[in-house]
Amino acid sequence: MSPEISSRRGLTLGLLVVVAILSYVDRQVFTLFQDDIKAELGLDDGQLGLLTGIAFAAFYAIAAFPIARYADRGDRRLVIAVCVAIWSAATALSAFAHSFWQMLLARIGLAAAEAGAGPAGMSLLTDIFPRDRRTTIISVMLAANAVGLSGGLALAGWLSQWYGWRSVFLIVGLPGIAVGLAVYLLAAEPRRRGVAEPVAPPQTSLGEVLRTMASSASLRWVGLLLCMVPLTGFAFILWGASFFQRVHGMDKTETGFWLGGAMAAGLVIGNLVAGWVSDRYGQAKPGFNGWFAGLGLLVSFPFGVGFALADNAYVALACFVVVKFMMTLHLGPIIALCFAQVPVQMRAMMSATINMFIGLAGVGLGGTVAGYLSKAFTPGYGELSLQPSLAILSCCLLVGGIAAIMAGRTAKPLEE
């Protein structure tokens, strides 16, 4: 690694942390205001579920792979910068939607652009930081996502005191264009797949990644985990604001403050703890990461049910903090487990594949299924229909916990 690249590691990490925060701030504004959007655009919970769920996730998955293939060879700074600029513009354009279809188009633009930045950023950071710090760096980025989730709610709740949802979309969307430019101008890029190498390695396809996963018992278990856990996690995140407003009678400012704080406490601390533990104990034995992730998921299950069914708002918040903390222990270690079992030139595509599973299962099915379950329970439960919906989806944590433990038992690290 050249001295110039080494000297810019911290700046690059800082810029990508800001990018990760922005990506989730833009998403969370929608979740806080979704009941207002529902009323103004004449939507039902099923349509809300489509906007936050499968429509977003499908285009997120479709766009991720061609962008990640370029990121495995080309200038990752450019990928990240363009993606940030596009999703920021799409967020701002959401302010002008006057129908379901117009909002859907804006959400598609947001999803397609956000799909590219994450894999490119992970690939870049695992290049410029040493291997013994890899899980910590991954977990810092995941913690940044958590800051975006919690900070987005808090910011939107605070802004709701003075502005409607249309103005808030403009306020949070436009600054991202400047952030994208800063990444392109200032971030480090070793260009190991372009200028630095006389012959670029062949591009990795989605089919190759899926065949690699199918041929590895450990990665097959990871695939099951990535289908199950995001169902619960994103149902809680995407419907959490509506849950506290409908079930516990909170207003937007209260919801942004309390739910945003609960997310920050659970997700940020969970990611940082996971990174430290994994780097300390799982570096030489990637299988440890699976065991550690699995135990956290199994412990999270009863708290997930408690969150959904608690009669008291503060009991629900306490359960939410615990379930998010215990759930969050899994993702950084599981990503590190996956990266340890594939060659370096496959990592951006592996990251995109992980995001595909998370996006389709979590943002797609989790958000959509929770919405349609809520719609189905509405005749019997009224405004409390999200309670049984989220309680049912909590059961996926048990399956995910078992899958993580089995992934750890069967992990076989690839020597770099």
Side-chain angles (χ1 to χ4, degrees):
M1 187 70 62
S2 72
E4 180 188 0
I5 296 298
S6 297
S7 69
R8 294 165 68 187
R9 286 173 180 164
L11 175 61
T12 303
L13 176 61
L15 287 168
L16 295 186
V17 162
V18 173
V19 168
I21 291 171
L22 282 181
S23 72
Y24 279 87
V25 168
D26 291 351
R27 297 189 202 185
Q28 287 300 83
V29 169
F30 188 96
T31 66
L32 186 73
F33 284 98
Q34 65 184 9
D35 283 357
D36 291 347
I37 295 169
K38 172 185 175 181
E40 186 168 336
L41 301 188
L43 311 179
D44 59 32
D45 277 357
Q47 289 174 306
L48 277 182
L50 289 173
L51 289 173
T52 60
I54 195 64
F56 184 98
F59 283 90
Y60 189 98
I62 290 168
F65 294 103
I67 300 173
R69 290 189 71 188
Y70 173 80
D72 268 332
R73 303 183 65 189
D75 187 340
R76 291 161 292 189
R77 296 172 309 173
L78 178 62
V79 170
I80 297 165
V82 171
C83 287
V84 175
I86 292 174
W87 90 53
S88 299
T91 299
L93 288 172
S94 300
F96 301 100
H98 290 280
S99 69
F100 169 79
W101 294 106
Q102 290 173 353
M103 183 62 78
L104 178 64
L105 289 174
R107 298 287 292 170
I108 288 171
L110 177 67
E114 286 192 359
M122 286 292 192
S123 174
L124 178 56
L125 290 172
T126 55
D127 241 12
I128 65 176
F129 281 91
R131 182 180 179 185
D132 61 359
R133 297 174 63 188
R134 180 179 297 157
T135 310
T136 296
I137 296 302
I138 291 171
S139 293
V140 166
M141 293 301 294
L142 295 174
N145 293 340
V147 171
L149 285 167
S150 56
L153 281 175
L155 177 63
W158 181 69
L159 290 171
S160 72
Q161 299 174 87
W162 301 285
Y163 303 104
W165 64 271
R166 295 183 185 277
S167 297
V168 174
F169 274 124
L170 286 171
I171 291 169
V172 302
L174 293 176
I177 296 171
V179 173
L181 180 62
V183 170
Y184 183 69
L185 294 176
L186 302 174
E189 170 58 273
R191 301 180 184 273
R192 61 178 168 79
R193 297 176 181 85
V195 175
E197 293 181 354
V199 179
Q203 290 183 320
T204 302
S205 68
L206 172 60
E208 290 176 80
V209 177
L210 293 178
R211 284 192 293 273
T212 299
M213 293 186 72
S215 66
S216 164
S218 178
L219 295 180
R220 289 197 297 271
W221 285 111
V222 169
L224 177 60
L225 178 155
L226 294 173
C227 289
M228 290 289 102
V229 177
L231 273 168
T232 305
F234 276 90
F236 284 11
I237 289 171
L238 295 174
W239 288 94
S242 292
F243 175 83
F244 280 103
Q245 291 173 53
R246 297 181 192 180
V247 175
H248 297 293
M250 289 186 175
D251 62 27
K252 292 182 184 64
T253 303
E254 289 178 306
T255 301
F257 177 79
W258 287 108
L259 183 58
M263 283 189 185
L267 296 177
V268 175
I269 297 172
N271 275 307
L272 296 178
V273 168
W276 181 82
V277 171
S278 179
D279 273 344
R280 185 174 179 85
Y281 300 105
Q283 182 185 346
K285 298 179 180 179
F288 170 86
N289 291 327
W291 286 92
F292 180 68
L295 291 176
L297 290 169
L298 293 177
V299 172
S300 70
F301 166 67
F303 292 95
V305 176
F307 159 71
L309 300 182
D311 293 328
N312 181 277
Y314 298 105
V315 173
L317 281 166
C319 288
F320 187 87
V321 171
V322 176
V323 73
K324 281 300 172 186
F325 173 79
M326 299 308 299
M327 283 181 65
T328 302
L329 296 179
H330 88 279
L331 190 51
I334 287 297
I335 293 174
L337 183 151
C338 291
F339 280 10
Q341 297 180 86
V342 299
V344 65
Q345 65 268 21
M346 189 181 282
R347 285 185 185 146
M349 281 296 290
M350 174 58 75
S351 182
T353 305
I354 291 170
N355 285 347
M356 178 192 71
F357 277 98
I358 292 173
L360 291 177
V363 182
L365 290 179
T368 304
V369 171
Y372 277 99
L373 283 174
S374 176
K375 182 179 178 180
F377 283 118
T378 295
Y381 289 83
E383 287 295 296
L384 302 181
S385 60
L386 281 171
Q387 285 191 302
S389 172
L390 297 180
I392 289 171
L393 289 175
S394 297
C395 298
C396 298
L397 296 173
L398 292 175
V399 180
I402 294 169
I405 290 171
M406 294 303 298
R409 287 188 63 185
T410 53
K412 295 178 179 179
L414 176 76
E415 292 297 327
E416 294 187 60

